[in-house]
Amino acid sequence: MSTSPTETAAAQAAREIVSTRHFAQPREQLWAAFADAQRLARWWGPAGFRNTFELCEFRPGGLWRFTMHGPDGQDYPNRSVFHTIEAPARIVLEHENAPHFHLHITLSDEAGGTRLGWRMQFDDAATREAVARYAVPANEQVFDRLQAELTHTTHQGALA
């Protein structure tokens, strides 16, 4: 979804969930954790979830079809399309099934590592409000799992 020129900053913000975190690793290491489907499957999603990837075409226009398996035994099918892939700085994807949103991921060099930006842009403020109750803490859990993946990979590399 694109922002219209007449939409105010406040109206746009009312449709968004923005999360961010500093990681001590360089952005190329974070990028690799997104770009490698096997690694992405290990850390994507909130705590306790696991993933089955059916298709992950990490390229502009590429499809991403996967199922998140919740700790409660529930399955959550996901359909997305990658719109923008700009290594090692930016990913934009569209989550096609409900709730529909665009996810803008940025990786910026920052003193001592990388700043991960995570902006979910929903169709309307009501959807954003309904999703925020679980998505805000879930985003933090995703970041925790990404950190664990980065730490594990760094540790494995040190052992090699």
Side-chain angles (χ1 to χ4, degrees):
M1 158 169 275
S2 62
T3 304
S4 74
T6 57
E7 184 177 35
T8 66
Q12 181 177 342
R15 297 188 297 111
E16 295 180 340
I17 295 172
V18 177
S19 303
T20 184
R21 183 177 289 182
H22 174 86
F23 290 83
Q25 294 80 6
R27 68 183 182 159
E28 291 78 12
Q29 287 184 21
L30 275 75
W31 183 265
F34 281 97
D36 180 332
Q38 286 185 318
R39 292 183 67 193
L40 184 61
R42 285 197 299 256
W43 64 265
W44 189 263
F49 279 75
R50 61 182 181 76
N51 297 293
T52 302
F53 283 18
E54 297 139 36
L55 182 64
C56 187
E57 301 171 326
F58 191 70
R59 60 175 172 73
L63 303 177
W64 187 18
R65 305 292 183 253
F66 67 101
T67 301
M68 295 175 71
H69 308 285
D72 59 358
Q74 188 99 4
D75 287 340
Y76 302 90
N78 285 265
R79 295 184 324 272
S80 297
V81 61
F82 293 103
H83 290 293
T84 304
I85 305 286
E86 296 173 359
R90 188 167 168 247
I91 302 164
V92 178
L93 66 87
E94 179 180 1
H95 187 261
E96 296 177 324
N97 50 309
H100 178 261
F101 62 90
H102 284 81
L103 174 59
H104 301 257
I105 299 165
T106 55
L107 302 172
S108 305
D109 289 328
E110 185 173 81
T114 303
R115 173 65 52 185
L116 170 64
W118 187 278
R119 183 168 53 99
M120 303 169 76
Q121 188 174 46
F122 297 89
D123 294 336
D124 55 64
T127 302
R128 183 257 181 230
E129 280 304 309
V131 171
R133 287 191 296 271
Y134 61 86
V136 170
N139 289 348
E140 294 302 318
Q141 293 171 23
V142 169
F143 294 170
D144 292 344
R145 293 183 71 190
L146 172 56
Q147 182 62 69
E149 172 66 21
L150 294 167
T151 301
H152 170 79
T153 303
T154 301
H155 179 70
Q156 292 292 9
L159 294 177

